[in-house]
Amino acid sequence: MIQHDCKIRVWYCDTDQMGIVHHSNYIRYYEAARSEFLRACGLSYADVERRGIMMPILEVQSKYRRPLLYDEEVTVRIILKELPTTRTNFFYEIYNAEGALCNSGMTQLGFMHADTHRPCRCPEWFTEVLMSKWQEEER
């Protein structure tokens, strides 16, 4: 299992009239955590795409437990429970400034060739990068 924490400040534009994060913005927080997770592994989405692979979202799940509020610094924890094959599932936990769990979710991403848009298996080089991070976390 690999996990990575990403800090995000709730901006005013993320909230509704009550100062509570609008439900649609949690998906953006998931994406920010995925991007930062890949950077922590030594990759970026731009690197992956330069290598001819795209990772479309196939499924999103989100469970709202407590509200996140304007100007709070929140922690988005991303968790990878298993190495990818043809798809990969990322799990998320979002904690408020007091450390209370406010949201949990999951995104499933596929892999496809950028030139043909045809599905493919997870590239070996991508798995190797994740495996390196996995082994590092186990130490």
Side-chain angles (χ1 to χ4, degrees):
M1 180 172 76
I2 309 171
Q3 67 180 36
H4 180 76
D5 286 356
C6 175
K7 298 283 187 188
I8 294 176
R9 173 85 48 197
V10 174
W11 291 4
Y12 183 76
C13 64
D14 292 344
T15 64
D16 59 18
Q17 196 171 16
M18 298 175 288
I20 296 172
V21 171
H22 188 268
H23 66 274
S24 63
N25 288 307
Y26 288 83
I27 309 310
R28 291 179 46 240
Y29 296 166
Y30 297 169
E31 183 173 2
R34 273 196 320 279
S35 293
E36 293 304 314
F37 168 75
L38 284 180
R39 286 189 187 286
C41 291
L43 285 174
S44 70
Y45 271 111
D47 295 332
V48 174
E49 290 178 0
R50 273 193 288 278
R51 290 180 174 214
I53 297 296
M54 298 179 85
M55 298 173 61
I57 297 284
L58 305 174
E59 180 180 344
V60 175
Q61 297 174 9
S62 192
K63 181 167 182 155
Y64 307 96
R65 300 166 187 274
R66 294 181 177 174
L68 295 176
L69 306 173
Y70 169 61
D71 202 38
E72 255 187 321
E73 184 179 59
V74 301
T75 301
V76 183
R77 176 166 296 147
I78 183 169
I79 304 160
L80 184 64
K81 297 180 181 179
E82 58 189 19
L83 292 172
T85 55
T86 57
R87 299 173 181 189
T88 188
N89 295 328
F90 290 103
F91 297 88
Y92 308 88
E93 297 171 348
I94 302 180
Y95 297 90
N96 66 13
E98 287 77 43
L101 180 63
C102 296
N103 176 276
S104 58
M106 184 277 294
T107 57
Q108 183 178 81
L109 284 75
F111 296 91
M112 71 181 190
H113 296 288
D115 55 352
T116 64
H117 290 187
R118 304 276 307 159
C120 63
R121 294 185 61 76
C122 176
E124 191 173 312
W125 55 264
F126 190 86
T127 304
E128 288 170 2
V129 167
L130 294 178
M131 183 57 109
S132 174
K133 184 72 170 170
W134 197 293
Q135 291 168 342
E136 182 182 304
E137 295 234 346
E138 287 181 347
R139 286 184 233 144

